[in-house]
Amino acid sequence: MTVTIVGAQLGDEGKGGVVDLLGEPADVVARYQGGDNAGHTVVHGGEEYKLSLVPSGAIRDKVGILGNGCVVNPRTLFEELDTLRERGLDPDVRVAERAHAILPYHRRLDGIEEEVKSDDDLEAGTTGRGIGPTYEDKAGRRGIRVGDLLDPAVLRDRLEYVVPQKRALVEDVFGVEAGEAFDVEALHEEYSDYGRRLREEGMTVDAGSFLADRIAAGDDVLLEGAQGTSLDIDHGIYPYVTSSNPTAGGACVGTGLGPTTVGQGEIIGVVKAYLSRVGTGPLPTELRGDDERERLAEYIREEGGEYGTVTGRPRRVGWLDMPMLRHAARASDFTGLAVNHVDVLAGLDEVNVAHAYDRDGERLTTMPTTTEAWGECDPIYRTFEGWPEIDWAAAAREGFDALPENARAYLTYVSEELDVPLTAVGVGPGRAESIVLDHPFE
Ligand code: IMP
């Protein structure tokens, strides 16, 4: 069977920890979209691992797949694998031959385009990893796929077609000097070398048939989403989004498994007990604007360690947004919820949740379709009494009923509003501070 893990908000919901917690029975962990923009932190054996591309399950002896929906920077891939090996791990990572490769010119273009857009306040605040430009080339049918790296002659043909276009774009349209990132020979040398290494290490696969065969043989597969629903290119807060589909439909197209296979499994929405955001764009429940709210944001940011895993940027912080979660639950058909960071809110007198929005006198219970309209929404808050700081690991050992009463009321409200049962609750960074109410693989 499959279990799909989907971010319900704006990324950074703690999906890595949930994959680690629920993925134990899985034999294979596959990512289906995104690339090295996806910061995920996994704590294993007291050690903290910060990854941006390698699937989190790969540090736990599972086969890790980067599906065809991913964009793969081979430089990052090999750097992460080498670092993990230096730390004594032996990750088994396979890459879909249909996945697209990120090239150095994609990164350059990401930076240049963001700068140009910033004149009109339209920059997405990207991670600068070249994600958008790579997906653009995929849709524009001028991308270079992982399979192309395996054949130096094909790679040369592809580069000779695309690189002059990129060079012209940078020099003639943006008026910037191109440089090595736009040099066919240098790119061919570096990328055919990656191709050689991928081939020699037997790392490439046809993701769809590999996964289907493993499922047919009785293996359990965990499908690991990156980013979150509101960063989805179709269902998110366009244009302040990433360029792929973190929602559950992406798990089908991004791996080659059919919707019946994915839909027969469980789809777990990962929720952070409040909101955090790296990058720009509106955020109706953001804690800012007066000293009191700024202080609260600072408190939550420090308690929750809300700094970007990939970029180190301080994250913007806000209250939980139920219209956003209703939208996410519907778009992905969540069958379970994993709510994280409940401990971070401990010690506050009260905790607010945007139950609905008011937009020009109209009451909305889900997100409007345009980001401009979303920016005009005023949250209608519901206030919950705060809960105290407790020994979270001890409570986690005892189970859900050992959590403070007000925290339980908060979690029950979220689950009932979405009509989705709680699968797990996170009250700290490690597995020992997590409660599994209903294991999706069991
Ligand atoms: P990109 O994915 O680098 O193109 O960035 C597009 C938007 O998605 C920006 O607002 C980023 O901050 C956001 N983003 C991308 N990856 C992540 C992530 O892993 N966590 C949170 N936000 C992300």
Side-chain angles (χ1 to χ4, degrees), residues 10-13 15 37-40 110 114 124-133 226-228 231 239-243 276-280 310-311 313 315:
L10 290 151
D12 308 315
E13 299 94 347
K15 293 178 293 296
N37 52 346
H40 36 291
D110 199 351
E114 280 282 281
T126 72
T127 58
R129 299 293 195 262
I131 306 296
Q227 290 87 45
L231 293 177
Y240 305 101
V241 291
T242 192
S243 304
S276 71
R277 167 86 171 118
V278 285
T280 43
V310 172
T311 59
R313 290 179 287 186
R315 294 178 184 144

Side-chain angles (χ1 to χ4, degrees), residues 160-219:
E160 280 175 355
Y161 172 71
V162 71
V163 174
Q165 295 181 22
K166 298 292 165 190
R167 178 180 280 276
L169 179 63
V170 165
E171 290 179 343
D172 303 342
V173 178
F174 293 122
V176 180
E177 204 183 313
E180 258 225 336
F182 298 79
D183 182 289
V184 170
E185 283 313 318
L187 292 170
H188 188 265
E189 193 181 325
E190 181 180 351
Y191 276 69
S192 54
D193 208 46
Y194 294 137
R196 188 188 44 75
R197 188 166 169 190
L198 286 166
R199 196 176 44 245
E200 280 173 11
E201 297 189 22
M203 286 176 65
T204 65
V205 286
D206 173 341
S209 57
F210 180 90
L211 291 169
D213 288 350
R214 298 289 298 244
I215 293 170
D219 278 357

Side-chain angles (χ1 to χ4, degrees), residues 23-173:
E24 186 64 28
D27 305 284
V28 181
V29 176
R31 280 190 57 184
Y32 55 86
Q33 43 73 230
D36 56 344
N37 52 346
H40 36 291
T41 307
V42 181
V43 180
H44 171 45
E47 295 266 318
E48 194 175 81
Y49 297 91
K50 285 191 186 295
L51 303 168
S52 64
L53 181 60
V54 167
S56 15
I59 68 163
R60 287 192 174 274
D61 298 332
K62 324 246 172 244
V63 181
I65 303 282
L66 293 170
N68 55 276
C70 293
V71 285
V72 179
N73 187 330
R75 216 184 261 182
T76 313
L77 175 66
F78 288 122
E79 271 169 20
E80 287 192 0
L81 289 176
D82 290 343
T83 306
L84 291 173
R85 285 185 184 133
E86 277 159 27
R87 292 178 71 178
L89 300 176
D90 184 24
D92 179 356
V93 175
R94 320 283 177 95
V95 188
E97 288 176 13
R98 291 188 172 94
H100 280 248
I102 300 180
L103 281 97
Y105 52 78
H106 291 124
R107 277 201 178 208
R108 279 290 304 283
L109 280 163
D110 199 351
I112 294 169
E113 285 172 12
E114 280 282 281
E115 205 176 310
V116 171
K117 283 184 176 170
S118 70
D119 294 343
D120 298 309
D121 279 341
L122 278 175
E123 79 278 22
T126 72
T127 58
R129 299 293 195 262
I131 306 296
T134 308
Y135 280 115
E136 267 179 54
D137 280 355
K138 171 179 176 173
R141 292 160 298 195
R142 67 183 94 82
I144 295 180
R145 306 205 293 182
V146 167
D148 301 333
L149 307 183
L150 305 177
D151 184 334
V154 172
L155 176 61
R156 180 170 294 281
D157 282 351
R158 298 266 190 272
L159 288 169
E160 280 175 355
Y161 172 71
V162 71
V163 174
Q165 295 181 22
K166 298 292 165 190
R167 178 180 280 276
L169 179 63
V170 165
E171 290 179 343
D172 303 342
V173 178

Side-chain angles (χ1 to χ4, degrees), residues 236-307:
I237 48 170
Y238 194 90
Y240 305 101
V241 291
T242 192
S243 304
S244 63
N245 293 113
T247 42
C252 305
V253 284
T255 58
L257 290 173
T260 310
T261 302
V262 174
Q264 275 167 349
E266 300 288 336
I267 298 175
I268 310 300
V270 185
V271 176
K272 183 182 273 186
Y274 49 91
L275 269 193
S276 71
R277 167 86 171 118
V278 285
T280 43
L283 194 59
T285 65
E286 184 166 14
L287 283 162
R288 66 173 192 142
D290 62 51
D291 288 354
E292 171 68 17
R293 290 167 68 84
E294 304 274 355
R295 254 199 313 278
L296 263 172
E298 190 55 29
Y299 176 81
I300 294 173
R301 187 175 301 117
E302 291 309 313
E303 290 292 307
E306 296 297 351
Y307 294 88

